[in-house]
Amino acid sequence: MTDAPFVPVRGGRLYEDVVDQITYAIRSGRFVAGDRIPGIDDLAALLGTSRPTVREAVGLLAGAGVLRVTRGHTGGIEVATSIVPPAVLALSRAGHRATLAELTEARRPVEQELARLAGQRATEENFAALAAAIDLLAPARGKPAEWVHANDLFHYEIARAARSPRLARYSHEIMEELAILLDGFDEQYTDYAHTVHIHRETLRALRSRDAGRIAAVMDDHLGELEDT
């Protein structure tokens, strides 16, 4: 994802697209709990859509507890939580349901290429962000929504490090569909110790910038879900 998370919406699903862009910016770590996002007028301008459309999307996210809206001179729109409920994600994925097998098959080439590019392009800032995502995993054990958020954030940070906005968008769409399909979390898909281990190994491989090593560790990393 780029440093400019909002782009003009297109087509006939403007309301759902606004929801998707805001949740993408939150799930990917561009905005975290406590951050303010642009106001209604600014979002309408950035997204190239109407204020009522943006207001409706923001109202839904506020109702779901994702955003907090305060009125008055010092008011604004604040991120209340980085955890977006699957029911909210489903709004922008309506009519685009895929099976687990289809999603894991599509995920592999996208994630492998993002990791390869991240190995070439990541900065120390990117590596620090990946390490921070790993640090969120252990405290989240036993807290399903937080565990999923930390796990997904690591992959969003790989996409950010790859500096390939189109591939990052594909990865985002696949991760959202997986979150909806699995309803955010299912313990049968997680070996806690292995998940933490493979994330650390992935970061080490990325730091090595060795394409072969990165491909090998990502094969293991992606297999965690595929082998269930």
Side-chain angles (χ1 to χ4, degrees), residues 145-156:
E146 292 180 24
W147 177 270
V148 171
H149 167 65
N151 184 72
D152 286 354
L153 183 59
F154 184 84
H155 291 272
Y156 279 115

Side-chain angles (χ1 to χ4, degrees), residues 121-140:
R121 301 171 179 174
T123 65
E124 284 303 317
E125 183 180 357
N126 294 133
F127 291 139
L130 286 161
I134 295 172
D135 288 343
L136 293 175
L137 281 169

Side-chain angles (χ1 to χ4, degrees), residues 34-68:
D35 284 351
R36 287 196 176 192
I37 68 171
I40 299 293
D41 289 345
D42 290 335
L43 279 174
L46 289 166
L47 296 166
T49 190
S50 68
R51 295 175 71 253
T53 296
V54 173
R55 189 178 294 110
E56 184 179 6
V58 167
L60 180 139
L61 291 170
V66 177
L67 297 177
R68 183 182 300 111

Side-chain angles (χ1 to χ4, degrees), residues 108-122:
R108 178 167 284 275
V110 173
E111 294 285 341
Q112 281 280 16
E113 181 62 10
L114 282 170
R116 186 187 71 81
L117 292 171
Q120 296 176 354
R121 301 171 179 174

Side-chain angles (χ1 to χ4, degrees), residues 170-185:
Y170 294 154
S171 176
H172 162 68
E173 292 175 357
I174 292 168
M175 283 197 291
E176 275 204 341
E177 290 196 55
L178 281 169
I180 296 163
L181 183 65
L182 302 176
D183 196 21
F185 180 82

Side-chain angles (χ1 to χ4, degrees), residues 5 9 21 29 39 41 59 66 81-82 92 103 112 123 130 132 143 160 166 197 210 216-217 219:
V9 295
Q21 290 205 43
D41 289 345
V66 177
T81 176
S82 297
S92 58
L103 291 171
Q112 281 280 16
T123 65
L130 286 161
K143 303 172 183 176
R160 193 192 310 277
R166 179 54 61 183
H197 168 75
D210 182 316
V217 77
D219 184 60

